[in-house]
Amino acid sequence: MTETGEHIDSILVSREEIAKRVMELGREISRDYAGSSLVLVGVLKGAVVFMADLMRQIKVPVQVDFMAVSSYGDATSSSGIVMINKDMDMDITARNVLLVEDIVDTGLTLRYIKSILSGRNPLDLKVCTMFDKPSRRRTDINPDYCGVVIPDKYVVGYGLDYKGLYRELPDLCILSAG
Ligand code: IMP
Ligand code: MG
C-alpha cells in the first residue's frame, strides 16, 4: 500500500515469460527483415525497458530513436488527443520503421503516431508492442507484432507506470485501488 492508496495486487506476466516472448519477437523480426535494416522508434517513457531488451534480440542492423507523446486525460483513460512532447531526430524517408510501444490500449495513441510517421514517407511502417489490451480498442489499428495479450486490467512494471511510479518492476503486475 502506498500514500496514494493503490497497491500491487499480483503478477500478471512474469519476468521469465516476458524474456521468452521478447526473444521470440526478436527472432520473428530478424527473420522478417533479413537482408535489410531497421529503425526502431520507441515511444517514451513506457517503451524504454522493452526497447532495451528487444534491440538486443534483433539480428539485423538497427538504428534507434525515440519520441515522447502525452495524451490528455487522466492516468487510466485516454482522451484520444495526443501531443508530441519530443519528436524523433532521424530522417525515416525510405527506411523500414518499427514503432516500439509498451502497450496498446484504446489504440488512439498508436493511430496518431502512425499517421504522423507515415506522412514522412518511410519505406515501411510497422508496430511492435509488448502488451496488448484488445478488449479496449477504439480504433481499427492493431500491432503487427505483439508480446502478450492481456485482459482489461490496469498494469504496471516492465516500463509501465501509474503516476510515474512502478516502471522499474521486472514483472508486469496488476495495480488495484485501495
Ligand atoms: P492508448 O492510446 O489507449 O492505446 O494507450 C496509450 C498509452 O496509455 C500506453 O502507451 C500507455 O502509456 C498507457 N496505458 C494504457 N494502458 C495502461 C496500463 O494498463 N498501465 C499503464 N499504462 C497504460
Ligand atoms: Mg506508452
Side-chain angles (χ1 to χ4, degrees), residues 111-149:
R111 181 174 67 183
Y112 180 79
I113 299 175
K114 269 193 98 171
S115 75
I116 297 279
L117 296 190
S118 61
R120 299 178 184 176
N121 303 311
L123 179 64
D124 181 63
L125 176 60
K126 288 197 166 62
V127 175
C128 178
T129 188
M130 183 59 217
F131 304 107
D132 189 9
K133 276 196 250 184
S135 59
R136 283 178 37 98
R137 198 77 86 245
R138 285 165 57 194
T139 64
D140 55 6
I141 286 184
N142 285 304
D144 301 282
Y145 301 95
C146 169
V148 185
V149 173

Side-chain angles (χ1 to χ4, degrees), residues 6-149:
E6 77 284 357
H7 68 280
I8 301 298
D9 199 52
S10 57
I11 292 178
L12 185 62
V13 186
S14 70
R15 65 195 79 183
E16 292 82 10
E17 195 180 341
I18 291 171
K20 175 171 167 281
R21 283 300 296 138
V22 173
M23 198 178 292
E24 289 167 354
L25 283 172
R27 213 175 289 147
E28 201 180 332
I29 291 164
S30 303
R31 196 183 54 229
D32 292 352
Y33 292 89
S36 187
S37 68
L38 201 50
V39 181
L40 299 178
V41 181
V43 183
L44 295 171
K45 300 170 184 168
V48 162
V49 180
F50 177 40
M51 180 78 141
D53 285 346
L54 181 68
M55 62 194 279
R56 288 177 287 175
Q57 299 299 330
I58 297 179
K59 307 303 175 198
V60 298
V62 296
Q63 285 167 296
V64 172
D65 207 340
F66 290 96
M67 60 194 295
V69 300
S70 60
S71 154
Y72 292 99
D74 61 39
T76 56
S77 75
S78 190
S79 63
I81 305 165
V82 178
M83 191 172 68
I84 295 185
N85 296 330
K86 180 215 172 292
D87 204 343
M88 58 182 299
D89 301 319
M90 288 181 63
D91 178 8
I92 56 169
T93 310
R95 300 295 310 271
N96 293 314
V97 177
L98 186 60
L99 200 51
V100 178
E101 263 281 22
D102 51 355
I103 188 166
V104 182
D105 186 22
T106 62
L108 293 167
T109 308
L110 188 56
R111 181 174 67 183
Y112 180 79
I113 299 175
K114 269 193 98 171
S115 75
I116 297 279
L117 296 190
S118 61
R120 299 178 184 176
N121 303 311
L123 179 64
D124 181 63
L125 176 60
K126 288 197 166 62
V127 175
C128 178
T129 188
M130 183 59 217
F131 304 107
D132 189 9
K133 276 196 250 184
S135 59
R136 283 178 37 98
R137 198 77 86 245
R138 285 165 57 194
T139 64
D140 55 6
I141 286 184
N142 285 304
D144 301 282
Y145 301 95
C146 169
V148 185
V149 173

